[in-house]
Amino acid sequence: MADTETVYLRVAGVVRPNGRYQARPGWFTRHVVFQPGDESPYEAQLLDTLGRPLARARMSAGVDGCGPWTPTGLRELAAYLPITDEATEVVVLDTELDSELDRAAIHRAPPLLELVEVTLTGPRLRARWTAQHPRQVTFNVAFFVGHDRAFALAVDERSTSLETDIGHLPGGPECHVVVVATDGVRSATAISDPFAFAGAAARAVILAPAPEAQFTDGEPFSLVGHVVDAGGRSLDEHDLRWTIDGEVVAEGTRLAGALGLPAGMHVVELGLATDAPLIAASTTIMVGAADAATVEWRRAAELAERTAVERGLRT
């Protein structure tokens, strides 16, 4: 476990399938999220003014939970280096190919960042901030729902304001706008005051029965589905409600059994038992008359079940 009094430089980036390295924002921290193993071929080094290594660390070849989501095919790298006043540069190396992937100067101070405005008018979000730094900085802007769900609004933005529509995103009672200013190595973060946002309606999804599925009258079948919010997260099942032809057949479950229906067309719907905004799901099934063999088989099965019950009661 790292010494909490030691300050570390978090170095991060991605390696594309063609081998090209792209740096991600770095920052100073006292918290090390992971301890990468020596199996990684990627290494980060801190150098002094003469180019001598002051510290080195293997970079993880995976996601450590701090960086942004990357598309399939990219290898996300991160390492933590104990920073000293003598450090003037950071380099990233591929030790297998004996090549330098990236080199950046380390400024003494992070950007000075202030979030001066966040306004929400309907689904339109406007944010404005100021930043001061000797080097060129870029900004990443994200919308947070609670403290654990982030949705990117801008990446590598160079302007100091943003206006966008977030009506397609989920909401909640405690949302934030977060701005990260970075020169590539040093970063600063500004977080807005919390605000409520209703967000887009959740959407119900019926997995079974399939559209236009066919059954025979009296044949039981399964109801399978769930409700996801605008961010793709499944909602708790205790608010779910299943109906067939407008009649409630099950509540509080993603999986239920439906008793046999009479012949004809029937509508299966999945919604919520609450008044929360929802795009309900429905599907139509067809129930046909059972043939003589099926009817006879069902009668025999029911007779056998009754006989077994009666024998159990007599004993």
Side-chain angles (χ1 to χ4, degrees):
M1 194 68 181
D3 181 359
T4 56
E5 296 304 315
T6 301
V7 178
Y8 293 86
L9 169 62
R10 181 183 184 273
V11 184
V14 294
V15 176
R16 300 185 179 278
N18 61 6
R20 180 174 172 269
Y21 178 84
Q22 179 180 349
R24 294 292 198 201
W27 59 78
F28 283 20
T29 180
R30 284 186 168 86
H31 303 285
V32 176
V33 177
F34 66 91
Q35 186 65 44
D38 293 336
E39 69 279 0
S40 169
Y42 306 103
E43 182 177 275
Q45 294 183 4
L46 289 179
L47 308 180
D48 64 12
T49 55
L50 299 178
R52 296 173 299 191
L54 299 174
R56 64 182 70 202
R58 293 285 182 173
M59 301 186 73
S60 68
V63 178
D64 69 357
C66 290
W69 175 85
T70 56
T72 302
L74 302 184
R75 301 189 72 183
E76 186 166 337
L77 308 177
Y80 291 81
L81 295 166
I83 195 70
T84 65
D85 291 339
E86 293 78 20
T88 59
E89 286 187 308
V90 57
V91 296
V92 176
L93 307 173
D94 186 330
T95 58
E96 286 186 348
L97 300 179
D98 194 23
S99 62
E100 182 178 303
L101 301 179
D102 188 62
R103 179 182 292 258
I106 301 174
H107 198 269
R108 292 302 175 193
L112 183 61
L113 177 66
E114 182 181 4
L115 187 55
V116 296
E117 177 192 358
V118 173
T119 56
L120 188 63
T121 306
R124 297 294 297 179
L125 176 72
R126 174 176 170 78
R128 188 166 54 88
W129 57 90
T130 61
Q132 300 177 28
H133 196 56
R135 299 179 61 188
Q136 174 67 51
V137 295
T138 59
F139 307 98
N140 296 339
V141 186
F143 172 71
F144 272 74
V145 179
H147 299 282
D148 62 343
R149 303 185 72 190
F151 301 89
L153 301 180
V155 178
D156 293 334
E157 178 69 38
R158 294 186 179 272
S159 68
T160 56
S161 66
L162 174 73
E163 186 169 349
T164 188
D165 192 319
I166 60 171
H168 62 290
L169 297 177
E174 188 175 346
C175 300
H176 302 267
V177 171
V178 176
V179 179
V180 177
T182 180
D183 66 0
V185 178
R186 301 299 306 270
S187 300
T189 301
I191 304 174
S192 73
D193 292 332
F195 57 91
F197 177 58
R203 181 182 298 272
V205 179
I206 294 177
L207 304 176
E212 300 183 3
Q214 297 187 6
F215 302 95
T216 58
D217 62 328
E219 178 184 357
F221 56 91
S222 296
L223 304 173
V224 184
H226 62 155
V227 172
V228 295
D229 68 14
R233 175 177 290 182
S234 292
L235 302 184
D236 291 338
E237 65 179 16
H238 66 264
D239 288 333
L240 302 188
R241 172 180 287 171
W242 291 95
T243 65
I244 298 179
D245 300 332
E247 297 292 329
V248 177
V249 295
E251 287 186 324
T253 180
R254 296 186 178 97
L255 172 63
L259 299 177
L261 299 175
M265 184 176 68
H266 301 275
V267 178
V268 177
E269 291 185 294
L270 175 60
L272 294 177
T274 67
D275 295 330
L278 176 73
I279 302 174
S282 66
T283 188
T284 301
I285 62 173
M286 296 298 298
V287 177
D291 56 29
T294 300
V295 172
E296 186 60 31
W297 179 84
R298 288 177 181 167
R299 288 175 178 172
E302 291 173 358
L303 177 60
E305 184 178 359
R306 286 198 302 269
T307 301
V309 171
E310 292 173 355
R311 287 176 178 174
L313 290 176
R314 285 198 295 268
T315 59

